[in-house]
Amino acid sequence: MSRTSILSPFLNLSATSPLICRRIQRSFLKRAELFGDYGKRGRCFCSLSAPQPQVSDNSTTSVRKRIVSGVQPTGSIHLGNYLGAIKNWVSLQNTYDTLFFIVDLHAITLPYDTRELSKATKDTAAIYLACGVDTSKASVFVQSHVRAHVELLWLLSSATPIGWLNRMIQFKEKSRKAGDENVGVALLTYPVLMASDILLYQSDFVPVGEDQKQHLELTRELAERVNHLYGGRKWKKLGGRGGSLFKVPEPLIPPAGARVMSLTDGLSKMSKSAPSDQSRINLLDSNDEVAQECQNMNWGTFKVVLTDALVAHLNPIQARYEEIISDTGYLDGVLAEGAEKAASVADATLKNVYQAMGFLQR
């Protein structure tokens, strides 16, 4: 029997429920070992739009599901970042165990200003808090302050087929724009670091926009691959508890505001990297700047109404931001506490992975 005939029942599962699909895949993975074809296995293309689960705040017995998410500290945080991510975090923190971090390690995959990185990182953290992220409900920290992110990146890289990374659309697009001489390996391995960010915390759900669905798909595949290669009985024989090393996270796509378009190009998403600052409304823009940016839109009298609404919404955020950023001790304390909480979870996961992969324990 050819490999094609073995694989064919698993190559199109789009009409199958995610639960049944995962059961079929687990059965298939055990058989795939016999043929040495793990890296080319059938992949699940079930819908990524997972419904948001209902978890009661009043329950004393239920364990909250965990969500992780972050924003890069490059450029100014704009309206698209706020509506597509941060605003949703504020509501999610009331229902889930949440970790929100500033992904500064991701910010160096392309040329950047070293003098601005530290300031931009603190600015981004202050904006999180100013927008309503509550540190009594959510952990807020800086990615590079939890070293387990980089360590797990290396371990996962050893199990990531290069073909998986070569198919990443964002790598192709960004490397084409930057040119070969300006593209480092980090841009290629960016999705593996993103997988590390998610899998370290045994995340149940990850809020994603349309442009991140492919990266999350890779994270899910990588979790399943590592669980298969090193988990279960193999891990138990090395003294571990056995079972899965990682949870396989599900996507959580916000019901609205997931994709805010550029003010100057209705076909492109609002972006921090766009050359024109007039293409976006930044959260820290002055009232005059907001009015000027709204003038670029061809919406007649609605521009005045939109300007007034944006100014009324942004001014309280800006006032709170100024309070937070001026109190360096407070912000540093928030980030230190958040990193400590995050590290306690991340280090436990990392220790298990080291053990399962056969490393000499410290």
Side-chain angles (χ1 to χ4, degrees):
M1 183 181 292
S2 69
R3 286 186 181 177
T4 302
S5 61
I6 294 169
L7 293 174
S8 59
F10 303 95
L11 295 180
N12 185 5
L13 299 172
S14 59
T16 309
S17 74
L19 178 59
I20 295 173
C21 183
R22 284 196 291 274
R23 287 176 179 169
I24 293 173
Q25 281 192 316
R26 280 196 293 269
S27 174
F28 169 66
L29 293 179
K30 293 178 182 177
R31 299 177 185 176
E33 261 190 310
L34 300 174
F35 299 94
D37 202 27
Y38 184 88
K40 297 180 182 178
R41 73 184 192 280
R43 292 161 50 213
C44 172
F45 287 93
C46 299
S47 171
L48 285 174
S49 301
Q52 183 167 329
Q54 298 298 315
V55 181
S56 173
D57 275 336
N58 298 323
S59 173
T60 57
T61 58
S62 63
V63 177
R64 286 190 172 196
K65 299 290 187 179
R66 180 172 292 153
I67 280 180
V68 298
S69 192
V71 171
Q72 286 193 33
T74 51
S76 299
I77 302 296
H78 54 66
L79 193 63
N81 300 135
Y82 174 67
L83 295 177
I86 302 175
K87 185 175 184 293
N88 291 307
W89 296 354
V90 176
S91 59
L92 292 173
Q93 68 186 351
N94 296 319
T95 309
Y96 296 90
D97 176 18
T98 48
L99 297 98
F100 303 130
F101 50 103
I102 299 90
V103 290
D104 56 339
L105 293 172
H106 288 292
I108 66 171
T109 56
L110 289 172
Y112 68 100
D113 188 339
T114 56
R115 297 168 297 179
E116 290 296 318
L117 181 59
S118 178
K119 179 181 182 302
T121 299
K122 295 190 76 169
D123 284 349
T124 304
I127 288 175
Y128 284 7
L129 303 183
C131 289
V133 173
D134 186 344
T135 56
S136 69
K137 301 176 181 178
S139 295
V140 177
F141 63 98
V142 178
Q143 182 188 27
S144 63
H145 291 181
V146 180
R147 295 183 179 181
H149 287 259
V150 177
E151 291 188 57
L152 185 59
L153 160 66
W154 181 251
L155 299 178
L156 293 181
S157 295
S158 72
T160 306
I162 191 70
W164 290 13
L165 300 180
N166 284 334
R167 74 180 185 225
M168 292 291 105
I169 295 172
Q170 285 201 26
F171 169 72
K172 294 177 182 178
E173 293 178 348
K174 290 183 178 181
S175 60
R176 190 184 304 116
K177 290 179 181 178
D180 291 342
E181 294 301 319
N182 294 320
V183 173
V185 175
L187 184 61
L188 180 65
T189 57
Y190 173 105
V192 186
L193 179 56
M194 180 177 171
S196 171
D197 298 336
I198 297 167
L199 299 179
L200 268 177
Y201 300 104
Q202 304 296 340
S203 310
D204 295 284
F205 297 96
V206 182
V208 291
E210 291 295 324
D211 58 340
Q212 291 294 331
K213 288 169 69 173
Q214 191 184 35
H215 285 169
L216 182 59
E217 182 185 329
L218 183 140
T219 298
R220 288 165 51 82
E221 289 183 325
L222 192 51
E224 291 174 346
R225 180 177 172 87
V226 173
N227 286 342
H228 173 72
L229 291 175
Y230 302 108
R233 293 180 180 178
K234 299 171 187 176
W235 180 21
K236 199 166 187 177
K237 287 180 180 179
L238 293 173
R241 60 175 171 78
S244 297
L245 286 159
F246 299 122
K247 284 186 179 180
V248 180
E250 298 285 350
L252 193 64
I253 300 176
R259 191 172 180 86
V260 179
M261 309 311 288
S262 165
L263 301 183
T264 56
D265 178 6
L267 299 178
S268 301
K269 189 179 73 168
M270 189 175 287
S271 171
K272 291 186 284 186
S273 61
S276 172
D277 203 47
Q278 296 299 308
S279 67
R280 56 188 169 264
I281 296 175
N282 301 315
L283 294 193
L284 300 182
D285 282 347
S286 68
N287 294 353
D288 289 342
E289 288 172 325
V290 171
Q292 180 60 43
E293 286 151 357
C294 287
Q295 287 301 314
N296 294 329
M297 295 182 288
N298 198 19
W299 290 354
T301 56
F302 181 65
K303 290 186 289 190
V304 177
V305 177
L306 179 62
T307 300
D308 291 343
L310 285 171
V311 167
H313 195 79
L314 294 181
N315 282 355
I317 292 175
Q318 293 171 358
R320 178 61 180 148
Y321 163 83
E322 292 298 337
E323 292 177 5
I324 295 168
I325 203 67
S326 63
D327 190 344
T328 302
Y330 167 72
L331 188 56
D332 289 344
V334 165
L335 296 177
E337 182 181 358
E340 184 178 359
K341 290 180 180 178
S344 66
V345 178
D347 289 346
T349 297
L350 189 63
K351 182 179 179 180
N352 287 339
V353 177
Y354 272 124
Q355 182 186 47
M357 291 182 69
F359 286 90
L360 177 66
Q361 298 298 292
R362 298 176 186 178

